[in-house]
Amino acid sequence: MCNLYSLGRQGPDALRAFFQATRDATGNMPELPAIFPNTAAPVVYLREGERTLSMMRWGLPSPAFALEGRKVDPGVTNVRNVKSPHWRRWLKPEHRCLVPFASFSENTKDASGKAVPVWFAFGEERPLACFAGLKVEGWTSVRKAKDGETTDNLYAFLTIEPNAEVGAVHPKAMPVILTTDEERDVWLRAPTSHDATAHCSPGRPWRMRRWPSPPRTATSPRAGSDPSSSRLCPPPTTRRRSWSSAAATDRSGHWR
């Protein structure tokens, strides 16, 4: 389950250009080196036929059975079973969105048994990509007890069986990634959920690499941030490397 991802240094200008968004409602969006559940992040969706960029809160409404005996709904971050009646109602085009990311993480364990994020991206430069997402606007619930009842625009993204790179760390699932503008357009516009999800096949050969997170230090105070995306980290190298060769990395995933 992916519960942490990053936009690194990618700001609104880069997002508008990459997603060809003609409307931008993100306002003064900060850098987002670490995006956690129940926090706000940008998504792209169609509004009156135009791609629109807006901030929403990560975590769709939970199914009723998950809320039994609970007063707070923290939301569901990853959607796997799209055949469930709870999710089927939100598979229509008006509820679909794109979730921009530069890298995402899955947890592994270090020698002491402590969970450590391992980051996945399409390159050391952390180029933009996106997940296939769903959104629900104007949902009223109690997300945090201290805030009481709030009305929010919410999102989450779909997951499928992982490919080889992600499966080596997290064998249960990985986010659905849309790699071409055609895939992104189909996801946003396809009239039926069957057409929209036809490309969401398991084990797709996305060529990705991974980086273990460095230990938390005084110069890297945000636990879990992508080490190559934080403003506090040195900028990523621009030297190009062979992205498809497993021999280019050691067993920890670091470049040799």
Side-chain angles (χ1 to χ4, degrees):
M1 178 180 293
C2 175
N3 278 326
L4 174 61
Y5 68 100
S6 172
L7 269 174
R9 298 180 176 89
Q10 307 283 5
D13 290 344
L15 294 175
R16 284 194 300 270
F18 183 84
F19 292 101
Q20 302 175 39
T22 54
R23 296 182 178 183
D24 185 353
T26 56
N28 188 21
M29 191 186 88
E31 288 187 357
L32 296 170
I35 299 169
F36 294 92
N38 226 358
T39 61
V43 301
V44 178
Y45 55 92
L46 291 178
R47 180 75 80 214
E48 298 177 349
E50 295 186 60
R51 289 191 180 185
T52 301
L53 186 64
S54 181
M55 302 293 283
M56 294 192 181
R57 195 170 189 168
W58 187 13
L60 286 177
S62 300
F65 73 85
L67 297 176
E68 292 180 2
R70 303 181 64 177
K71 297 181 179 180
V72 174
D73 179 9
V76 176
T77 57
N78 294 199
V79 176
R80 181 69 182 267
N81 181 17
V82 293
K83 295 181 180 180
S84 163
H86 182 74
W87 303 122
R88 279 206 309 265
R89 55 180 163 166
W90 293 321
L91 287 175
K92 297 177 181 178
E94 58 265 31
H95 290 291
R96 298 185 206 139
C97 66
L98 309 175
V99 182
F101 77 94
S103 56
F104 69 93
S105 79
E106 298 288 0
N107 282 343
T108 187
K109 292 186 178 180
D110 61 17
S112 67
K114 182 180 179 181
V116 178
V118 174
W119 288 91
F120 297 88
F122 283 105
E124 283 185 300
E125 298 82 5
R126 302 302 199 263
L128 275 171
C130 74
F131 305 130
L134 299 175
K135 67 179 179 68
V136 176
E137 298 181 73
W139 187 268
T140 300
S141 62
V142 178
R143 304 287 293 193
K144 295 182 179 181
K146 66 177 182 179
D147 296 336
E149 194 172 74
T150 60
T151 299
D152 303 283
N153 297 331
L154 308 172
Y155 77 94
F157 44 78
L158 274 60
T159 62
I160 55 173
E161 181 181 331
N163 61 9
E165 291 87 353
V166 179
V169 175
H170 186 72
K172 292 185 178 180
M174 70 174 290
V176 173
I177 301 173
L178 307 175
T179 57
T180 68
D181 198 60
E182 180 182 6
E183 288 182 349
R184 293 187 281 271
D185 200 56
V186 167
W187 174 248
L188 290 175
R189 297 179 184 274
T192 69
S193 58
H194 174 76
D195 293 335
T197 58
H199 58 273
C200 299
S201 57
R204 297 185 70 197
W206 295 303
R207 295 192 302 172
M208 309 190 81
R209 278 291 174 228
R210 68 181 192 178
W211 293 264
S213 286
R216 183 175 179 177
T217 67
T219 58
S220 181
R222 188 66 184 271
S225 296
D226 181 347
S228 291
S229 296
S230 172
R231 178 187 300 175
L232 300 173
C233 296
T237 178
T238 57
R239 183 159 59 97
R240 300 189 65 83
R241 304 180 188 265
S242 172
W243 203 240
S244 60
S245 174
T249 61
D250 61 24
R251 291 185 179 180
S252 68
H254 284 108
W255 288 106
R256 288 175 178 168

